[in-house]
Amino acid sequence: MFDNIELSVSSYDTAWVAMVPSPDCPETPCFPECTKWILENQLGDGSWSLPHGNPLLVKDALSSTLACILALKRWGIGEEQINKGLRFIELNSASVTDNEQHKPIGFDIIFPGMIEYAKDLDLNLPLKPTDINSMLHRRALELTSGGGKNLEGRRAYLAYVSEGIGKLQDWEMAMKYQRKNGSLFNSPSTTAAAFIHIQDAECLHYIRSLLQKFGNAVPTIYPLDIYARLSMVDALERLGIDRHFRKERKFVLDETYRFWLQGEEEIFSDNATCALAFRILRLNGYDVSLDTLNQFSEDHFSNSLGGYLKDSGAALELYRAMQLSYPGESLLEKQNSRTSYFLKQGLSNVSLCGDRLRKNIIGEVHDALNFPDHANLQRLAIRRRIKHYATDDTRILKTSYRCSTIGNQDFLKLAVEDFNICQSIQREEFKHIERWVVERRLDKLKFARQKEAYCYFSAGATLFAPELSDARMSWAKNGVLTTVVDDFFDVGGSEEELVNLIELIERWDVNGSADFCSEEVEIIYSAIHSTVSEIGDKSFGWQGRDVKSHVIKIWLDLLKSMLTEAQWSSNKSVPTLDEYMTTAHVSFALGPIVLPALYFVGPKLSEEVAGHPELLNLYKVMSTCGRLLNDWRSFKRESEEGKLNAVSLYMIHSGGALTEEEAIEHFKGLIDSQRRQLLQLVLQEKDSIIPRPCKDLFWNMIKILHTFYMKDDGFTSNEMRKVVKATINEPISLDEL
C-alpha cells in the first residue's frame, strides 16, 4: 500500500476526457479508449457512478451519468446505453432539486451547463421544464454574483468548474491556474474542458500522461500520491500502530522532505497537503521553516479554493499544524485563532463539516478544538481516533472518489487488535502496582493520597508499546512515591522526620530500625530504596551499567528542595519569585518520574549524556512549565490554605499593583512560552545529542500535566477517574464501531 496508491476511477472525469476531439480530426474522439470504457462500464440501473454508492449521492450519480451520455451522444455511439442512462435520470429526477441530497462541488453550475450542452446536441432530457428553468436560473445567479471579500477564492472556484461554464468562461483567467504538469487543479475534467475550448498543448499532455498511467479511464484528481501517503502515515501514527511500519514511514518522510525542499507544486499548491506535510515532518524532527510555509499567511486560506468552499478538512489540517508553532512564530499563532473560529462555526453547521456523509470529521473537529496537541494523551487520542475512523471514507469533489490509503478497514482492524493487546499487558502491570503498594505498606500511610491508578495511567497513556514495560513500571512506581513524599513533606511529617529521611537516603544502606525516627520514615525509605535498587538492577539489561547512583542523586535533589519549601512554610518566609522557582521546579517532583525512565526506552545513555546541559535544560523547562501550570490551577485552593506559590508571590512582590486576573494572565503567557520552548527542544534535531525517544518523555509529561490540569488541579480532583478506568480496563470491540 505504501508503494501503490489506488484511486477509484471517475466516470464523470472520464466522460469529459472522452469528449476531447482529436487535434488532427475534430470529428473523431482524441481518446476512443475512454468512450469504449463508458460503453462497457454502465451499471445495471443505467447509471455511471461509484459502485455501492451512498444513497445521499444521487446528484453525483446524475451528474456522472449525464456526462457519460453527452460523451456518447457527442460521437454518435451507444444509443442503447444512452437510453438506459436517460431512464435512470428520469427515475431519479426528483433528486435534482432535493436539498437533502449532497451536492458535489459546482453542481449548480455544472449540471445546468451540461443540460445546455445536451440541447446543443439535440438531446431531450427527461426532466421537468420547471426544474430545468429553476436550475438555469440558479446557475445564472451563481455566475453573476460577486465574491465579496473572497474575490480571489471565487475566481479559483469558477476556474475549477470551467466545464460547467463552457463558452461563457474567461479562459484567460482560468488558465492562470494551470500547473506545471499542464493540468488545472489536477482535475482531468477541468483540464479536458480547457483543451476542448482553447486547445492548450500542455492540457493535452497532462491528459495523455494520465491515460498512460491509468489505461482507458481516469480518476477525479491526480496526482494525489504525496497527500495519500502522508494521510497513510498520519493514520498509522494516530491509530497507534506506526511503530510496526518504521522503515516504510521513514521512506515516505524522507521522500516528502526532499519534495518540500524542492518546493514541489503538489505540496504547496494545496492547503491540506501543505499543512499535513508541515505537521508530520516537524513532528518527526525534519527542519521545516516557517518562511517556506507561505500557505499560512493571514489571507491565503480564505482566498484559496478551499477557503471559498469552506473546506473543513483543509481548515482542520491547518489548525493541527498550527499547534506546533515554536517561540517567535507569531504568524502561526495569529492564524490559529482565525482557523479555530472557522472550525467552531462549522460544528454548528453540518455543511461546513465536509458533508453529512463524513460525520467522522465532525468528531475530529470537536476533538481538535477540545484536546489541543499539548493536552492530548496518545492512548486517549488513539481510542477517540479509532471511534471516529471511517472505513468507507468516500470523498467528494466534483464527483465522489475513494483512495486505498484513506479510510482503510485493515488499518482499523490492526489498530483495535493492537490497542487491546497493549491494554491486556497494562492491566496486568497495574495489578502488580496495586500489589506493590500493599507489599511496601504505602497504603498504611494515612496522610498520603492513594493515586496509583493515576500514576500508572500517566505511564500507560504515553508509553504504551509492550516492550516499554520497564519504563512504565519505573515511571509509575516513582510517581506513586513522589506523591507520598510530597504529602509527607506537606502535611504528614515533622521537620525531624524530613531531615531523617534525607540523611537515610544520603547514607543509602541502613542496617537497623534504630536509624528510623518513625514508622512512616521507615516505610518511605524502604520503598524508595527497593525501587531505586530495582531500577539499578534492570538498567544493566538496557544500559550495560548500573545507574543507581544517578537515581539516588535525583531523589536527593527532590527531597532537599522539598525540605527548603517546608522550612519556608514553618518560618513564614517569603522568598523572591526567582528563589522560589529555583527550588520549586525541582520540588514539583518530575525528576524521579521522568529521568530514570530515560534508561528504559531503548537508546544507551552514557554518564556524560545523562548529565549533559541539553538534557538538564529539557528537564528544567519541563519542570518549570509544570510548576507554573500547577501553581496557576491550584492558586485559589492554596491561597485559602495559606500556602505560597508562584502566582501569590508574583502578586506580593508587585506591591499590590497587580490584580489576581492580571497575575494569572501573566503566568498563562509564561506557561505557553515554556511549552513552546520545550516543543522546539524536543522536535529539533540540529545540534542535539539526546536521542529522540528520550526527549519524547519530557513532552509526554507536559501532555500529561496539561490533561490533568485542563480544568483544575486534576490530580487532586476525581474527574478523571472514569477516563483512567477506561484506558486500563475497557477493551475496544470492532463490532461496536
Side-chain angles (χ1 to χ4, degrees), residues 276 426 430 432 445:
L276 181 59
Q426 292 187 9
F430 179 58
H432 172 83
L445 301 174

Side-chain angles (χ1 to χ4, degrees), residues 86-100:
L86 291 173
R87 178 65 177 160
F88 173 82
I89 291 175
E90 182 180 13
L91 292 174
N92 292 274
S93 59
S95 294
V96 172
T97 54
D98 183 357
N99 291 328
E100 293 300 310

Side-chain angles (χ1 to χ4, degrees), residues 629-639 645 709 713:
L629 187 58
N630 172 83
D631 286 11
W632 163 40
R633 286 303 196 185
S634 61
F635 165 65
K636 290 188 177 180
R637 175 176 58 80
E638 292 190 332
S639 294
N645 74 16
Y709 291 115
D713 182 359

Side-chain angles (χ1 to χ4, degrees), residues 283 374 377-378 458-465 467-476 478 542-543 554 590-603 605 615 618-623 678-679 681-683 690-706:
L283 275 175
H374 59 266
L377 295 185
Q378 288 160 287
S458 69
T462 54
L463 300 166
F464 53 86
E467 64 269 20
L468 297 179
S469 179
D470 287 342
R472 285 192 294 275
M473 299 307 278
S474 170
W475 183 295
N478 279 307
W542 289 84
Q543 300 294 325
I554 293 167
L590 301 184
I593 301 172
V594 175
L595 299 179
L598 298 175
Y599 292 116
F600 301 115
V601 292
L605 299 179
L615 192 145
L618 282 160
Y619 166 63
K620 184 176 181 180
V621 176
M622 170 194 69
S623 296
L678 181 64
L679 180 66
L681 291 171
V682 170
L683 297 185
I690 309 302
R692 176 62 186 272
C694 297
K695 293 198 289 185
D696 282 341
L697 264 62
F698 296 95
W699 186 244
N700 287 348
M701 178 55 83
I702 285 299
K703 287 188 168 193
I704 290 161
L705 294 171
H706 276 86

Side-chain angles (χ1 to χ4, degrees), residues 610-657:
H612 194 274
E614 182 190 354
L615 192 145
L616 299 179
N617 190 38
L618 282 160
Y619 166 63
K620 184 176 181 180
V621 176
M622 170 194 69
S623 296
T624 300
C625 183
R627 169 54 77 183
L628 294 176
L629 187 58
N630 172 83
D631 286 11
W632 163 40
R633 286 303 196 185
S634 61
F635 165 65
K636 290 188 177 180
R637 175 176 58 80
E638 292 190 332
S639 294
E640 291 169 0
E641 295 171 359
K643 296 177 183 176
L644 294 175
N645 74 16
V647 179
S648 55
L649 283 172
Y650 185 62
M651 294 176 65
I652 289 169
H653 291 301
S654 75

